Amino acid sequence: MKLFRHGPRGSERPGILDLSVTRRDLSEVLGDLADGQLAPDRLAQLKHLDLSNLPVVSESERLGPCVANVRNFIAVGLNFVDHAVESGLDVPLEPVLFNKAPSCIIGPNDDVFIPEGSMKTDWEVELAVVIGSPAYRVDLKDAASKIAGYCVCHDVSERSYQMERGGQWMKGKGCPTFGPLGPWLVTPDDIEDVQSLSMWLSVNGERMQTGNTSKMIFGVCELVAYISQFMRLEPGDVITTGTPAGVGLGRSPPRYLMPGDIVELGIEGLGSQRQIVRASMSGNNLI
C-alpha cells in the first residue's frame, strides 16, 4: 500500500492510493498515520477496504509529511562507502548515529529554507524507515516485523554547522524545513526488496546523486536492531539511513544550495519530491 497525508500544514488527513493511483481520503476510517495506527496489524486491515467508496483527494492538494507525531527522528551517517570517501572520513565499523529535530519535518514538496547566514546548505537523498511497533533490544531476525513502511527523506544539511562548530552533527541537521518526508509511506509488502532500490537527486535539472540501497554498509533491518540496543523505538519514529555520493560537500569545488534552486529527488517505488529553496530572513517565515 501507498499511504499519504494531505491538507494544510498542521491539519493533514490520512489518504491512500487505489489501484488506479487515484488519491483517496482515509480520515473516515483512520485517525492519522501516527502512533498505534501504524501497527502492522492495523495497517493490514486497510487492505480489505473498498477504496472506491472513499472520497477522492484532488491532485492539487498539498501533500504533508507521510507520518505524524514523530517523537524520534534518527539519522545514520556515512552509511555508503562512496559518501564516506567523498567526505574525507573513515568508513565506520558500527553505524554512526545522530538526531534530526522532529520540528524540521515538512511535506515532500514544501519549500526548503536556508538558515539566515548559512553558506553551506547541502542536499542528501535517503531512504527512511518508519517504525510501526515498539522495539527495544530486538534481534536482527525480528527487526522487519517492527517496520510500518518506508519513504523518501531529504536529509538537508548545513555543513558549517555540522562540521565547523564543534560538538555533534545534529547542529547542522535539524534546522526548520531540513526534513522533507514522503510523498508516500509504502508498506513493506509493496516493496520486493528494500535493499535493491535505485536513488537519485538533481539540482536545477542536473543529476547530482545516483545510488542504490544495495550499497548501504548497514542494511535496514541491521539498523533497526542496532539502534534498538540503545533506545526504545516507538511507533512513528523515523530512521533515515544514509546517502550515496554526490553531495555538494564532495564536489570540487564544493557546491551548496542557493535561493531559487530546485531540488528533485526520489527512490524507486517510493515516489519523488520537489522543493524550491528559499532564503530565510527570519524564523517567522517558516510556518
Side-chain angles (χ1 to χ4, degrees), residues 123 201-204 206-210 245-248 251 255:
W123 57 81
L201 182 145
S202 298
V203 179
N204 300 329
E206 180 182 355
R207 179 65 65 91
M208 299 296 180
Q209 291 184 275
T210 300
V247 302
R251 296 177 67 87
R255 173 178 170 179

Side-chain angles (χ1 to χ4, degrees), residues 151-194:
C151 65
V152 180
C153 173
H154 187 184
D155 178 18
V156 187
S157 307
E158 212 299 334
R159 300 301 188 190
S160 63
Y161 296 178
Q162 175 189 354
M163 306 178 76
E164 301 168 15
R165 300 289 297 272
Q168 299 187 7
W169 287 4
M170 63 179 291
K171 291 180 180 179
K173 296 287 189 169
C175 301
T177 74
F178 272 25
L181 293 179
W184 324 124
L185 173 61
V186 182
T187 53
D189 61 299
D190 209 33
I191 301 174
E192 183 175 349
D193 183 0
V194 73

